[in-house]
Amino acid sequence: MEPQTDIGPCDPNQADEATLAEYYELMVASAKIDRPHEPTTSYEAVIGRLRRPGPGAYTMRYWFAYQTGKVVGHMTLSLPMLETPHLASIEITVHPDFRRRGIGSDFLRTLFPVLHAEARTTVEGWWITGGSVGEQWALARGFQLTHAAVGQRLALQEVDPSLWAIEPPAGYRIQQWIGHAPDALLASYADARAAIHDAPLGQAVLESPEWTPDRVRLAEQVLRADGVEQRVVVAVHEGSGTVAGLTELKLPPYAKGVAQQQDTAVLSAHRGHGIGACIKAYMIRWLLASRPDITAIRTTTGARNVHMIRINHALGFVTVRSWVVVTGELSNLEARLSS
């Protein structure tokens, strides 16, 4: 007889060490199946991501699934509070030894009343490995593929540094900072961040933030409070004194040795000059010179963004993973699971 599955909400910051250890075991075991070519992530990194998912205008909620008192599954719910207020983003992970037992569907059923109470009508799942059992499970329950992306990794000690010797184009200068944009560049930096909206996201519903100077300052404050070092490199247009392009990188305190490359964007009026490659190469050189403990950089790029993928490959990044986004209407998901 199949043991009963109990699903209950959890607070990662209040969970005891035994529960967190079981959660870590769940995530490592799942990664070995779903992402076999990636190195095992440390306990500190896995628990750090659980407890500090990063800045953003979201409400976060969490559930664990237990069998005989042991953690066998986990679900994260992200509720955007500004853009796309009708959307709910979810992540569901079930231990490989406990898959095909209905736990994932039980998670969804647990979620439905919560989504109705929050007036959410669309559900989106991110970070699903392309072609995996997770993708197959989602499609079988009424989700549809709406976006695809690739994960890329740069091993800093294994790449010829000459690839990063890229000078800024004429008429532009490079500026850098950690954690706090200069007041003189704040407005144009916020405008430049909005250029990420041009990045292809397929039919995925989740939208990039609408950046304003106040929102930039709030995001910086949240990162500092979480102990995250945020590095920014921008190309400044000499003629106007405004930011023409930017690239951002995060160094969370729990991700030892690995930096997380974030958004890179160039305003449309300044494209075609090699600014993207230049600022990313500058970021790599800066990181190497000041943080010798960092051995790798990870990034994610939309599969249709062939231009940025090509830039990353030219800088030495290697594609290590493909992942997909799935989207479903709440009413359709409920009907599928009730039939």
Side-chain angles (χ1 to χ4, degrees):
M1 181 177 178
E2 181 71 25
Q4 179 179 341
T5 301
D6 297 312
I7 294 177
C10 67
D11 180 346
N13 293 302
Q14 300 297 323
D16 58 50
E17 289 301 321
T19 299
L20 293 177
E22 291 176 358
Y23 169 77
Y24 176 66
E25 179 187 341
L26 155 70
M27 300 305 286
V28 170
S30 298
K32 287 181 179 178
I33 300 297
D34 301 329
R35 304 186 296 278
H37 302 298
E38 294 186 8
T40 300
T41 308
S42 70
Y43 177 88
E44 291 76 16
V46 171
I47 302 304
R49 179 177 180 268
L50 175 68
R51 287 178 161 171
R52 297 190 291 270
Y58 301 93
T59 295
M60 307 293 296
R61 299 186 186 179
Y62 308 88
W63 287 261
F64 282 149
Y66 304 87
Q67 281 195 8
T68 62
K70 179 181 176 62
V71 174
V72 298
H74 178 258
M75 177 171 65
T76 298
L77 168 66
S78 302
L79 298 173
M81 303 308 295
L82 297 177
E83 294 81 19
T84 55
H86 64 290
L87 177 68
S89 295
I90 63 171
E91 251 186 274
I92 293 176
T93 306
V94 178
H95 194 290
D97 293 344
F98 294 86
R99 292 177 179 176
R100 304 186 186 278
R101 301 185 188 184
I103 296 175
S105 297
D106 288 342
F107 270 132
L108 284 181
R109 293 187 183 97
T110 299
L111 200 58
F112 291 154
V114 177
L115 299 183
H116 281 294
E118 294 286 346
R120 307 289 166 149
T121 58
T122 304
V123 184
E124 207 156 71
W126 286 64
W127 312 113
I128 301 171
T129 299
S132 68
V133 294
E135 178 185 328
Q136 297 165 17
W137 175 88
L139 296 179
R141 277 144 192 84
F143 288 92
Q144 296 188 5
L145 295 177
T146 52
H147 181 52
V150 296
Q152 297 177 291
R153 188 174 189 273
L154 173 63
L156 293 170
Q157 305 304 322
E158 299 175 11
V159 175
D160 182 356
S162 66
L163 296 178
W164 311 321
I166 303 175
E167 295 297 320
Y172 297 87
R173 60 179 170 83
I174 302 300
Q175 192 160 337
Q176 67 191 56
W177 65 79
I178 296 178
H180 188 85
D183 290 341
L185 292 178
L186 179 59
S188 67
Y189 171 56
D191 290 341
R193 291 203 69 168
I196 198 66
H197 287 284
D198 294 342
L201 274 177
Q203 296 175 296
V205 175
L206 183 66
E207 297 179 4
S208 299
E210 296 293 340
W211 290 104
T212 64
D214 287 344
R215 195 159 183 180
V216 168
R217 288 292 187 235
L218 178 59
E220 292 172 340
Q221 179 182 344
V222 172
L223 287 171
R224 285 194 298 271
D226 285 344
V228 178
E229 180 180 308
Q230 181 199 37
R231 294 189 172 214
V232 180
V233 172
V234 301
V236 178
H237 180 237
E238 296 278 21
S240 63
T242 60
V243 173
L246 66 97
T247 190
E248 301 167 318
L249 183 143
K250 290 198 310 185
L251 293 163
Y254 51 79
K256 305 299 183 184
V258 181
Q260 299 175 7
Q261 173 72 57
Q262 302 296 113
D263 289 347
T264 299
V266 178
L267 288 165
S268 59
H270 300 278
R271 291 172 187 165
H273 303 294
I275 290 174
C278 170
I279 56 181
K280 294 190 85 164
Y282 188 99
M283 178 72 82
I284 295 169
R285 298 198 306 271
W286 180 23
L287 193 65
L288 272 176
S290 58
R291 289 293 300 269
D293 57 307
I294 302 300
T295 60
I297 302 174
R298 298 175 64 177
T299 191
T300 298
T301 308
R304 294 171 55 193
N305 194 350
V306 293
H307 176 67
M308 189 56 66
I309 292 174
R310 185 166 56 247
I311 288 175
N312 290 342
H313 283 160
L315 294 172
F317 283 86
V318 174
T319 298
V320 295
R321 180 192 176 193
S322 65
W323 58 266
V324 297
V325 177
V326 297
T327 307
E329 294 305 310
L330 177 57
S331 57
N332 294 338
L333 299 176
E334 287 182 302
R336 182 70 68 95
L337 282 178
S338 64
S339 61

